[in-house]
Amino acid sequence: MRAFAINKLITEASNIFLKHEEDILSGYFDKDLLSLSIYANHLEKIKNKTTEAVFQHPDVVSIQIAGYEVLGKLFAEFVNAVLHNSKKGNLVYHMLPKEYNNLNSDEDTYNKILRVTDYISGMTDSYATSLFQQFSGISLG
């Protein structure tokens, strides 16, 4: 049954693409292909149910909220370290890898913050969580 449904959707998407190919390739087509499908109402119901059951599930939402806390704290700590001279800031500054803490005093604030953002955006979830725990005193390892 699942394979049959997938085949129907692929065929439907292919037909819609071919019908609108010229507009798609020229950049004038700005819709979701399947929004033009005879199955659009069914897909909308599936999307709404999935959003409710999966993406808005309390476990998923709590992980997203925790992610905001982790990223916010790391960003604030590292930005304070590169912009302000304090005892704690100097220690945090040394947690930055050399390619990110090689800031010269002539570098503008924007570029300093950009380096921090670049560093944090390259972190894995587990590394960011570990660093957050260290900065928060939850983990001392």
Side-chain angles (χ1 to χ4, degrees):
M1 187 66 127
R2 180 176 168 264
F4 180 75
I6 291 171
N7 183 51
K8 285 284 196 185
L9 286 174
I10 290 171
T11 301
E12 182 79 3
S14 298
N15 291 336
I16 295 168
F17 177 86
L18 292 173
K19 184 177 178 181
H20 299 280
E21 182 177 11
E22 189 175 316
D23 286 341
I24 291 169
L25 296 177
S26 66
Y28 291 111
F29 190 84
D30 65 350
K31 297 177 179 150
D32 171 4
L33 283 181
L34 291 175
S35 70
L36 302 177
S37 167
I38 60 174
Y39 306 110
N41 288 336
H42 300 291
L43 293 170
E44 187 65 26
K45 288 177 185 176
I46 291 169
K47 176 184 155 194
N48 291 339
K49 185 65 174 171
T50 302
T51 298
E52 180 186 318
V54 177
F55 299 111
Q56 293 175 347
H57 188 277
D59 293 343
V60 174
V61 172
S62 66
I63 290 170
Q64 290 175 326
I65 293 169
Y68 281 107
E69 292 299 316
V70 169
L71 293 176
K73 177 154 182 91
L74 293 179
F75 184 76
E77 292 290 349
F78 283 122
V79 166
N80 284 334
V82 298
L83 296 182
H84 307 291
N85 192 6
S86 68
K87 286 183 181 182
K88 180 182 178 185
N90 289 335
L91 295 172
V92 171
Y93 182 81
H94 289 294
M95 296 289 288
L96 286 166
K98 294 219 184 295
E99 62 268 23
Y100 297 99
N101 74 6
N102 191 14
L103 307 172
N104 62 48
S105 58
D106 295 335
E107 190 171 29
D108 66 353
T109 301
Y110 175 81
N111 283 310
K112 290 177 183 178
I113 294 172
L114 192 58
R115 281 182 189 248
V116 168
T117 304
D118 185 41
Y119 174 54
I120 293 172
S121 69
M123 292 180 181
T124 64
D125 291 351
S126 60
Y127 180 71
T129 302
S130 173
L131 204 53
F132 171 83
Q133 290 173 344
Q134 289 174 20
F135 284 1
S136 300
I138 297 169
S139 169
L140 300 175

